[in-house]
Amino acid sequence: MKIGILGNGQLGQMLQTSIVDQPELEISLYDTRNYCEQSLQQFLADNDRISYETENIPAHIVAQLEPVEAKVFPGLNALKVFQNRLLEKNALRNAGIDTADFHAVNSLEDVHEAIQTLGLPIVMKTTTEGYDGKGQFVLKTAADAEPAWQTIGGRELIAEAFVPLQREVSVIGCRSESGEIKVWPMTENIHHEGILRYSLYPAHGFSAEKQSIAERYIAQLANSLDYVGTITLELFETEDNLIANEVAPRVHNSGHWSIEGAETSQFRNHMLAISGQVLGNTASKFPAVAMINVIGTEEETADAAGMPETYVHSYGKEARPARKLGHVTLTADSSEQRDDKITQLKRLIPAGVWKP
Ligand code: AMP
């Protein structure tokens, strides 16, 4: 079977390498940045199945996927829904998943209406193309309405009630063609300036009750869309609940630990799902695991190179401020040992962001 993946970044590459032991699957990656209509048509015709490494696919490429919709996994319905925060929130609600209250905003009047309906503070976001905290504005008082609209308005926005979150966690699942669902153990995710810096399994003091809510959410979500492949749900943890924030219809940075840490990685199960195979076990192989992103410069990974049970992944990208250049995964016999190991690698994490 020939599988074509749109996107040749680190996610596409990790998808490809996850399944090299199955030579009957021929995987190729398409660089969407060097798009031309003819080469894409050829790519779509050449492959039996098409997948994608990111939901940020330009509309002119999505349009070309329409005629070959039957071989696109996850389906175009999921892709389109999760490209737009309003459609995404509605899909989450329809699947019975709690989200922040929200209000569609298309004008300055709508901003005032959102303040009336939702109260303050409000997080206002562009409905499309915003990621890693870009295209957002937090409104604290009614006087913020105009500057907010001036800064990110003039296009479709969503206003969300501010969630009093304690921390952020994510749940990643995979659904096969036959509807079987496997869920990875959850991680606690620590961001800085809108970018994921590290993920921890297990999350410190995460209750079994919340774990089961998250597992129920991801199953409801995947089933509601007849989804095939790996899917990620990012959640805000509040004192007594989990509130869905965002969905990625793909493998996710917070699941990179699964390459060494889980029986079957998020990448491999995605490839198994989209090629119509039975999924592998998603259990963790270790009592504790951490994944630390390498951002901006790779020099600090020297610290990790000699450490036992530590795995350095370099994406082969040119260094640039705020750019994800690789990640380091470490496994441990306990959460305490894991946290000790991270402390030895804390040069990888901005000052004050690592809080054991
Ligand atoms: P997003 O691009 O939706 O992932 O948002 C980026 C970050 O902004 C999140 O990781 C949160 O820390 C924060 N944030 C987004 N939406 C909300 C909200 N409704 N309430 C509180 N914090 C939020």
Side-chain angles (χ1 to χ4, degrees):
M1 181 186 281
K2 288 184 167 179
I3 300 181
I5 295 169
L6 299 175
N8 66 343
Q10 66 260 26
L11 300 180
Q13 288 168 25
M14 288 188 274
L15 284 165
Q16 185 169 36
T17 52
S18 72
I19 198 93
V20 284
D21 62 322
Q22 292 199 0
E24 62 280 15
L25 293 187
E26 227 178 282
I27 320 291
S28 43
L29 308 182
Y30 182 84
D31 181 357
T32 49
R33 289 163 310 177
N34 286 333
Y35 159 85
C36 90
E37 189 175 331
Q38 200 187 0
S39 69
L40 180 61
Q41 288 298 337
Q42 193 65 51
F43 185 78
L44 298 178
D46 282 349
N47 285 289
D48 306 306
R49 302 251 162 139
I50 305 291
S51 193
Y52 41 90
E53 67 163 6
T54 172
E55 62 280 21
N56 289 319
I57 300 176
H60 59 272
I61 294 187
V62 177
Q64 286 197 52
L65 296 177
E66 305 270 3
V68 294
E69 188 171 3
K71 59 180 180 182
V72 180
F73 297 89
L76 283 187
N77 61 333
L79 176 63
K80 288 178 189 165
V81 164
F82 300 128
Q83 279 187 332
N84 179 297
R85 290 183 191 271
L86 268 174
L87 299 178
E88 175 177 74
K89 284 276 189 307
N90 282 315
L92 286 162
R93 290 280 180 103
N94 290 338
I97 297 166
D98 286 351
T99 70
D101 287 333
F102 61 95
H103 196 89
V105 169
N106 289 295
S107 64
L108 180 58
E109 293 71 53
D110 289 344
V111 183
H112 290 295
E113 206 175 290
I115 294 172
Q116 291 299 318
T117 322
L118 305 172
L120 287 160
I122 278 177
V123 184
M124 212 157 69
K125 309 174 180 177
T126 57
T127 55
T128 58
E129 287 161 18
Y131 60 94
D132 287 347
K134 295 185 181 79
Q136 301 203 6
F137 200 108
V138 179
L139 288 80
K140 297 198 175 87
T141 71
D144 292 332
E146 202 159 340
W149 179 252
Q150 292 299 334
T151 312
I152 60 168
R155 55 189 293 185
E156 188 186 56
L157 305 177
I158 180 173
E160 297 177 16
F162 190 87
V163 177
L165 62 107
Q166 292 179 329
R167 63 177 167 182
E168 301 190 39
V169 296
S170 58
V171 60
I172 305 179
C174 190
R175 187 171 180 275
S176 71
E177 265 194 296
S178 67
E180 177 195 21
I181 294 176
K182 297 274 189 184
V183 183
W184 282 270
M186 290 178 66
T187 59
E188 168 178 356
N189 304 324
I190 289 79
H191 302 83
H192 179 65
E193 293 175 349
I195 301 176
L196 179 67
R197 300 306 306 218
Y198 61 94
S199 293
L200 304 176
Y201 161 75
H204 291 112
F206 195 66
S207 72
E209 196 186 340
K210 283 179 177 164
Q211 174 82 35
S212 70
I213 294 175
E215 285 174 13
R216 179 166 56 77
Y217 278 177
I218 199 81
Q220 286 170 196
L221 182 63
N223 286 332
S224 71
L225 294 160
D226 198 17
Y227 190 93
V228 176
T230 294
I231 183 166
T232 306
L233 178 59
E234 293 187 78
L235 298 152
F236 296 146
E237 184 181 5
T238 60
E239 198 176 332
D240 54 5
N241 202 7
L242 293 174
I243 307 288
N245 176 40
E246 248 192 328
V247 180
R250 56 171 167 84
V251 290
H252 192 258
N253 196 174
S254 65
H256 289 3
W257 68 273
S258 63
I259 295 174
E260 291 88 9
E263 295 288 347
T264 313
S265 77
Q266 59 167 353
F267 302 97
R268 186 172 176 85
N269 264 349
H270 183 78
M271 298 309 291
L272 293 173
I274 67 170
S275 57
Q277 301 185 61
V278 173
L279 305 180
N281 176 3
T282 47
S284 174
K285 293 200 276 187
F286 304 94
V289 184
M291 187 289 310
I292 308 170
N293 271 334
V294 178
I295 294 179
T297 151
E298 287 187 286
E299 282 159 33
E300 288 82 359
T301 53
D303 293 352
M307 271 172 66
E309 290 100 33
T310 302
Y311 308 89
V312 179
H313 295 251
S314 175
Y315 307 152
K317 291 175 13 181
E318 200 184 308
R320 249 190 250 150
R323 191 176 208 195
K324 289 176 186 168
L325 300 176
H327 72 269
V328 175
T329 298
L330 57 89
T331 66
D333 296 334
S334 66
S335 296
E336 293 71 31
Q337 191 195 55
R338 174 198 65 197
D339 293 355
D340 282 349
K341 284 187 173 181
I342 300 174
T343 303
Q344 293 174 49
L345 293 177
K346 70 176 193 306
R347 279 208 297 152
L348 280 167
I349 303 171
V353 176
W354 167 235
K355 293 195 193 79

